[in-house]
Amino acid sequence: MITSYKKNLFIEFSDWFIKLADFADRADDVYSLPKLELLLHTGNIIRGCIIGYDRTQPEKLLMVMGIPDSDPKPEITLVSGSQVAAISFIDANETLRILEPNATVSVLELKRTAKKVEEDLEKGIASKINLILDTDGYPEDNRKLILDTIKFLPSIFESLTDDELGKKVVAENIEKIKISIGKADSTILENKELHITVSPGYKFPHKEKERLKKEIESVL
């Protein structure tokens, strides 16, 4: 892992700014962006995700979005790229996974992400939803498919519960979400368990998230 860090993370700051801004342009939501801490020469720290880098400006401005927490209001910071003295990756393994999309996802990484997704869902819905990940009997490569699928859930449910009626419907009908791999995509709601089955193979993230959202809406 240390060799991989040296190989993939030892990059000039300006190259990192370009790489992360380009990735943000292709991303569907903030949940998929690498989380960073930028230490400035002034000693101040900016924590968030780089979503823009304007190289046409004399100061080469960075646009940083704050990491969402209990306050849903977006926080945007503009800072000169020349003011950055150090970059800290809040999750270096996650950044490497983005750089090496074919890398195998570990069971521990899957469990950690599932816990974080459960916490994000609880914040938005104000009720506990347990994630059940069915990874037994499948190739290790399919863990990434399950990982990508559960990462869609916070933004999908944020949209579904943007009013009190939506929150009430979700809270009354879903207590568990089970993710498994199957020959065909399907979404079933039975006994307050939402069972999402995803088929192997590459999926366009935006289209896949929209498909999941529509299927969840249809079973509620």
Side-chain angles (χ1 to χ4, degrees):
M1 184 57 72
I2 291 177
T3 301
S4 183
Y5 288 155
K6 291 180 179 179
K7 176 184 175 183
N8 294 297
L9 299 183
F10 247 157
I11 302 174
E12 292 282 346
F13 282 2
S14 59
D15 291 339
W16 262 120
F17 300 155
I18 294 170
K19 185 184 293 289
L20 293 170
D22 287 347
F23 182 81
D25 288 340
R26 300 191 302 270
D28 293 312
D29 52 54
V30 70
Y31 294 100
S32 61
L33 300 181
K35 312 300 186 295
L36 309 168
E37 282 187 349
L38 303 178
L39 173 64
L40 307 185
H41 290 291
T42 60
N44 294 333
I45 294 176
I46 298 175
R47 192 170 185 263
C49 311
I50 292 176
I51 61 173
Y53 181 47
D54 189 349
R55 288 158 280 174
T56 65
Q57 299 290 330
E59 294 185 344
K60 295 183 174 57
L61 287 177
L62 278 174
M63 180 177 284
V64 184
M65 174 176 281
I67 298 173
D69 50 21
S70 57
D71 185 353
K73 297 178 182 177
E75 179 181 293
I76 301 293
T77 301
L78 295 176
V79 62
S80 171
S82 63
Q83 289 298 310
V84 178
I87 301 175
S88 294
F89 299 97
I90 293 177
D91 188 340
N93 287 344
E94 174 69 6
T95 303
L96 286 180
R97 192 184 65 78
I98 291 171
L99 291 174
E100 303 174 3
N102 295 323
T104 300
V105 174
S106 69
V107 173
L108 181 58
E109 181 182 359
L110 201 54
K111 289 181 178 179
R112 284 174 174 166
T113 304
K115 182 179 179 181
K116 178 64 169 61
V117 169
E118 285 182 340
E119 292 171 352
D120 289 340
L121 289 173
E122 188 172 1
K123 287 178 184 177
I125 303 170
S127 63
K128 181 71 173 177
I129 292 182
N130 294 314
L131 277 182
I132 304 170
L133 308 182
D134 182 9
T135 58
D136 295 336
Y138 300 117
E140 290 184 354
D141 291 347
N142 284 343
R143 288 180 194 152
K144 183 179 184 304
L145 183 57
I146 292 178
L147 184 72
D148 292 340
T149 301
I150 65 175
K151 282 188 172 184
F152 292 141
L153 297 178
S155 59
I156 288 175
F157 277 87
E158 181 180 5
S159 176
L160 295 175
T161 59
D162 60 356
D163 58 24
E164 291 305 315
L165 177 60
K167 290 180 180 179
K168 184 174 184 292
V169 170
V170 169
E172 289 180 352
N173 290 279
I174 302 177
E175 293 181 353
K176 300 176 183 177
I177 300 177
K178 182 177 181 180
I179 311 291
S180 60
I181 305 294
K183 293 182 179 180
D185 299 321
S186 67
T187 303
I188 301 170
L189 179 60
E190 289 182 346
N191 299 321
K192 296 190 176 183
E193 179 180 282
L194 182 68
H195 187 184
I196 299 173
T197 302
V198 289
S199 59
Y202 178 76
K203 298 173 182 292
F204 291 100
H206 180 70
K207 291 183 179 180
E208 179 66 3
K209 187 171 74 170
E210 284 301 310
R211 181 190 69 79
L212 283 173
K213 180 185 174 184
K214 289 179 181 179
E215 290 194 1
I216 294 171
E217 284 178 324
S218 69
V219 299
L220 281 174

